[in-house]
């Protein structure tokens, strides 16, 4: 069990300060979803956001640093040796407005107004959000992803809240240009 909230990580026998605030992790998640970034760019952006002195980190530490970054983002859980393909049920950027209120309720304060909130504390609150609009959104996304029929109440809610439920597709700049050309815009 891990009782401490880490603010630094050991990488290749060196200690590196990390940005442990929940906002930094959400920025990393946004960068990792950016279709305009290559895999290498996503790695460099994630490491640059996460490690306070990333510029001073030797290149041969990057792989371990990235693994430790994801370990931290996963709440200190050891890596899953056989990752399973799961449907995407949430998007931190799109869903944040629906996540904030229940996390605030669990924590007992407006998290956007606090100067610092450790990612693991945020994550613990996120796991406990319970019944709320966000839970309804994810539940309907899950049913749709699995091809299960929605009951009458869920169908009505989905029809009224389709913009909340449907995950937005993000396109690269090139794809956006192509779509404009096809649409005549």
């Amino acid at each position: 069990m891990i009782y401490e909230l880490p603010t630094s990580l050991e990488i290749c026998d060196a200690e590196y300060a990390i940005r442990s605030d929940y906002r930094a992790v959400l920025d990393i998640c946004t960068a990792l979803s950016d279709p305009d970034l290559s895999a290498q760019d996503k790695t460099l952006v994630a490491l640059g956001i996460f490690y306070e002195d990333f510029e001073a980190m030797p290149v041969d530490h990057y792989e371990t640093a990235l693994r430790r970054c994801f370990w931290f983002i996963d709440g200190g859980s050891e890596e899953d040796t056989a990752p399973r393909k799961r449907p995407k049920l949430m998007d931190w950027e799109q869903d944040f407005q629906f996540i904030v209120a229940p996390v605030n309720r669990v924590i007992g304060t407006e998290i956007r107004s606090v100067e610092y909130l450790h990612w693991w504390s945020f994550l613990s609150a996120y796991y406990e959000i319970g019944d709320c609009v966000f839970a309804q959104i994810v539940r309907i996304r899950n049913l749709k992803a699995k091809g299960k029929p929605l009951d009458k109440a869920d169908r009505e809610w989905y029809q009224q809240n389709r913009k909340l439920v449907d995950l937005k597709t993000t396109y690269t700049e090139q794809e956006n240009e192509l779509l404009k050309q096809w649409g005549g815009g």
Side-chain angles (χ1 to χ4, degrees), residues 3 29 37 65 85 94 99 104 111 118 128 132 150 153 159 169 185:
Y3 294 108
C29 292
L37 294 178
K85 181 75 173 157
Q94 179 178 330
I99 295 169
N104 286 346
I111 63 168
H118 195 279
E128 293 299 319
C132 60
L150 302 178
Q159 290 303 322
T169 303

Side-chain angles (χ1 to χ4, degrees), residues 116-137:
Y116 173 81
L117 177 62
H118 195 279
W119 170 247
W120 288 5
S121 297
F122 175 91
L123 198 56
S124 293
Y126 170 80
Y127 289 149
E128 293 299 319
I129 61 175
D131 192 26
C132 60
V133 172
F134 177 64
Q136 175 76 353
I137 291 168

Side-chain angles (χ1 to χ4, degrees), residues 42-158:
K42 289 177 183 185
T43 297
L44 294 174
V45 169
L47 293 174
I49 292 170
F50 189 64
Y51 292 99
E52 291 182 10
D53 294 325
F54 174 64
E55 312 81 40
M57 183 183 287
V59 174
D60 60 329
H61 289 194
Y62 287 8
E63 184 179 340
T64 302
L66 188 63
R67 256 190 272 113
R68 296 291 287 154
C69 174
F70 289 139
W71 169 86
F72 179 84
I73 291 172
D74 287 341
S77 298
E78 292 305 317
E79 292 179 36
D80 188 358
T81 55
R84 294 172 282 163
K85 181 75 173 157
R86 297 180 186 148
K88 182 175 180 177
L89 298 179
M90 62 89 60
D91 180 282
W92 287 108
E93 191 171 11
Q94 179 178 330
D95 297 328
F96 185 70
Q97 64 180 329
F98 304 107
I99 295 169
V100 169
V103 168
N104 286 346
R105 186 177 61 241
V106 171
I107 291 182
T109 192
E110 171 56 63
I111 63 168
R112 292 171 292 192
S113 68
V114 298
E115 190 172 317
Y116 173 81
L117 177 62
H118 195 279
W119 170 247
W120 288 5
S121 297
F122 175 91
L123 198 56
S124 293
Y126 170 80
Y127 289 149
E128 293 299 319
I129 61 175
D131 192 26
C132 60
V133 172
F134 177 64
Q136 175 76 353
I137 291 168
V138 172
R139 190 178 68 72
I140 290 177
R141 284 178 186 161
N142 189 40
L143 289 170
K144 290 178 66 55
K146 291 180 177 181
K148 294 189 177 182
L150 302 178
D151 66 23
K152 184 180 177 188
D154 285 341
R155 270 194 317 275
E156 286 178 18
W157 197 89
Y158 174 65

